[in-house]
Amino acid sequence: MPHQDDPRLFSPQCHDLEPVTTVHVNPWFSVKNRGGYFTVEYNVPQVLILPILDERAIVMVRVYRPVIADNTLELPAGGIDGDEVPAAAAARELQEETGISLAALNRFDMLPPLVHMVRSPTLPYIFQVRLTQREYDLRGGHDNEVAGVECFSFSEMLRNIEQGKLYVGLQIAVIMRYFVCNQIIRQSLDAV
């Protein structure tokens, strides 16, 4: 099945897990009991963006996360607003979180989904976008949830993962899949 048609992107597919009761709800997510299995479900579909700069680096944001008392390195991400299409949400979130504004939605390539938490039955949309150094240099301001926008070469990114400086699981999975698919790790090892 092509990844853009994966029904888990649109809604939970665990139809046999009944009855479904809502245990908790807040502005961001709900906790449901689906036939004895507790799930954590975002209230709106989610997007995550992998910004690749000149085929040599990755643009990331540093976000303060009070729950874990840290400024974590993350890929730009967020929720889809109303009837917004996923690629438009990706472009908006990239602009809000990095200040990089791209009007052409066809630059956002949808990647196969990844499970970010096995207790979440709806998968996030994951997009890759290729950027130029000029687009990065001309970026505007970012929203106040972001402490900073940073760019890491592929080898720096591997070191960040190895040294535990990047430790958010879904972010690592998206980056490592990109590296594996593009033989970045092999190229980095060959350069040593």
Side-chain angles (χ1 to χ4, degrees):
M1 170 184 309
H3 52 270
Q4 65 268 23
D5 296 328
D6 189 325
R8 297 171 301 171
L9 292 165
F10 318 131
S11 65
Q13 298 299 301
C14 45
H15 305 297
D16 294 339
L17 299 180
E18 295 181 355
V20 178
T21 57
T22 300
V23 177
H24 171 78
V25 67
N26 64 42
W28 301 275
F29 64 88
S30 62
V31 176
K32 296 186 184 213
N33 180 343
R34 293 182 173 274
Y37 293 89
F38 287 86
T39 61
V40 178
E41 303 179 27
Y42 285 104
N43 296 341
V44 298
Q46 300 292 298
V47 296
L48 182 135
I49 305 97
L50 175 62
I52 303 296
L53 180 65
D54 286 338
E55 305 299 329
R56 62 173 176 75
I58 297 174
V59 176
M60 300 198 74
V61 294
R62 196 167 290 279
V63 184
Y64 180 59
R65 299 296 183 192
V67 173
I68 56 174
D70 198 4
N71 288 307
T72 58
L73 279 175
E74 300 179 22
L75 295 169
I80 296 176
D81 290 342
D83 60 356
E84 189 175 41
V85 298
R92 179 182 48 74
E93 288 292 343
L94 180 70
Q95 191 280 321
E96 289 175 3
E97 295 194 359
T98 68
I100 300 169
S101 182
L102 302 175
L105 296 184
N106 63 347
R107 292 184 60 186
F108 290 83
D109 297 321
M110 190 170 164
L111 301 175
L114 289 166
V115 173
H116 72 287
M117 177 175 52
V118 294
R119 294 247 177 227
S120 183
T122 308
L123 306 180
Y125 290 86
I126 302 171
F127 290 92
Q128 175 181 302
V129 63
R130 287 179 166 75
L131 304 172
T132 65
Q133 185 67 49
R134 179 171 167 72
E135 288 168 328
Y136 179 76
D137 292 343
L138 293 175
R139 69 190 184 279
H142 51 76
D143 65 26
N144 61 4
E145 294 178 359
V146 173
V149 179
E150 301 177 39
C151 185
F152 298 95
S153 71
F154 292 161
S155 58
E156 289 172 320
M157 188 59 59
L158 286 169
R159 278 194 300 278
N160 285 341
I161 293 169
E162 177 186 25
Q163 296 170 2
K165 294 177 182 176
L166 170 58
Y167 61 92
V168 180
L170 181 59
Q171 323 293 311
I172 293 170
V174 170
I175 292 166
M176 292 307 291
R177 180 171 63 189
Y178 173 82
F179 285 173
V180 168
C181 290
N182 292 281
Q183 299 185 10
I184 302 299
I185 297 171
R186 182 172 317 207
Q187 294 168 9
S188 295
L189 292 174
D190 291 343
V192 173

